[in-house]
Amino acid sequence: RKEVEQDPGPFNVPEGATVAFNCTYSNSASQSFFWYRQDCRKEPKLLMSVYSSGNEDGRFTAQLNRASQYISLLIRDSKLSDSATYLCVVNGYYGQNFVFGPGTRLSVLP
Amino acid sequence: GAGVSQSPSNKVTEKGKDVELRCDPISGHTALYWYRQSLGQGLEFLIYFQGNSAPDKSGLPSDRFSAERTGGSVSTLTIQRTQQEDSAVYLCASSTGTGKGNTIYFGEGSWLTVV
């Protein structure tokens, strides 16, 4: 089983739609959780950290369920500019690497 | 600049040649990572350095790949006797540390094409 798994995608949604991505991780000792965004032929960039209580940043909402080892990202009112690959990232204790999921590609269509 | 800096941005090399890719992390970041990403694929972990600890080399795909980090700052990834399957973008990243509360930041990558 891979350490971090994501919805395979791609997701093709119309502008204005709400879309949700799911991610599961296998290491119960993981401590930090993130969503990164990667545009075509660009480097990954931090979208948001994910906190235990859940957090929101504008149209983006991230949730963490430690018991189920599950992370989600919800995008409301999708924009064309949201088209990208979304990477789920998990980090463990000191000395542990950041582990990236394979990514879920989103295409927002006009 | 304030971000992770990588060079060269693009490199075309002939099969069998050696290449060196350089990464200058964000100032003050003690952890440095190398990843590889082939076109349309996910990130593949290669190696990571944390302070003065021995590097985690578990992701290096073969003994043709090596990396060093001098003075706890700049890192060089070396690929010997390049093969066509080495063609990819090599991404360097850094963080203030590892574990809870740290965030990883990427450079723009070095695009390697082996012909």
Side-chain angles (χ1 to χ4, degrees):
Chain A
R1 182 186 172 191
K2 292 184 179 177
E3 284 192 66
V4 179
E5 298 193 64
Q6 297 185 238
D7 290 333
F11 283 55
N12 298 313
V13 303
E15 270 187 291
T18 296
V19 60
F21 301 137
N22 300 315
C23 170
T24 57
Y25 60 96
S26 60
N27 186 349
S28 61
S30 299
Q31 293 290 305
S32 302
F33 310 90
F34 310 89
W35 284 100
Y36 275 68
R37 169 194 170 125
Q38 186 174 26
D39 292 291
C40 188
R41 299 182 70 83
K42 296 288 189 181
E43 74 277 19
K45 293 184 178 177
L46 178 67
L47 178 64
M48 58 197 303
S49 300
V50 187
Y51 304 116
S52 297
S53 55
N55 48 299
E56 187 174 310
D57 182 2
R59 298 182 293 108
F60 299 83
T61 300
Q63 294 282 346
L64 168 65
N65 184 323
R66 284 187 181 272
S68 302
Q69 294 179 205
Y70 168 89
I71 307 160
S72 66
L73 176 69
L74 184 76
I75 305 176
R76 291 181 300 278
D77 188 24
S78 301
K79 311 292 185 190
L80 295 176
S81 57
D82 294 334
S83 297
T85 296
Y86 290 82
L87 303 168
C88 176
V89 186
V90 173
N91 190 21
Y93 288 119
Y94 179 84
Q96 299 299 308
N97 194 4
F98 289 83
V99 182
F100 284 76
T104 302
R105 190 154 63 90
L106 171 67
S107 293
V108 181
L109 308 173
Chain B
V4 178
S5 178
Q6 292 189 244
S7 62
S9 299
N10 288 282
K11 175 74 175 178
V12 179
T13 190
E14 291 181 352
K15 179 180 172 181
K17 301 280 190 184
D18 297 352
V19 296
E20 284 189 352
L21 308 176
R22 174 189 166 105
C23 173
D24 198 346
I26 293 172
S27 178
H29 280 195
T30 60
L32 185 149
Y33 313 79
W34 284 99
Y35 293 85
R36 175 170 74 172
Q37 189 173 34
S38 301
L39 201 60
Q41 302 298 309
L43 287 170
E44 177 187 3
F45 165 70
L46 297 178
I47 186 170
Y48 121 84
F49 300 86
Q50 169 56 41
N52 295 321
S53 302
D56 176 355
K57 303 180 181 181
S58 61
L60 294 178
S62 76
D63 59 8
R64 296 187 296 105
F65 289 73
S66 63
E68 62 178 20
R69 188 180 186 191
T70 53
S73 182
V74 172
S75 176
T76 302
L77 177 69
T78 300
I79 309 172
Q80 296 178 308
R81 304 181 303 281
T82 51
Q83 303 294 313
Q84 287 185 328
E85 61 263 28
D86 299 334
S87 296
V89 58
Y90 290 81
L91 291 160
C92 178
S94 70
S95 65
T96 52
T98 58
K100 191 172 183 178
N102 289 286
T103 306
I104 187 171
Y105 298 91
F106 284 86
E108 294 185 348
S110 290
W111 291 79
L112 175 66
T113 303
V114 182
V115 297

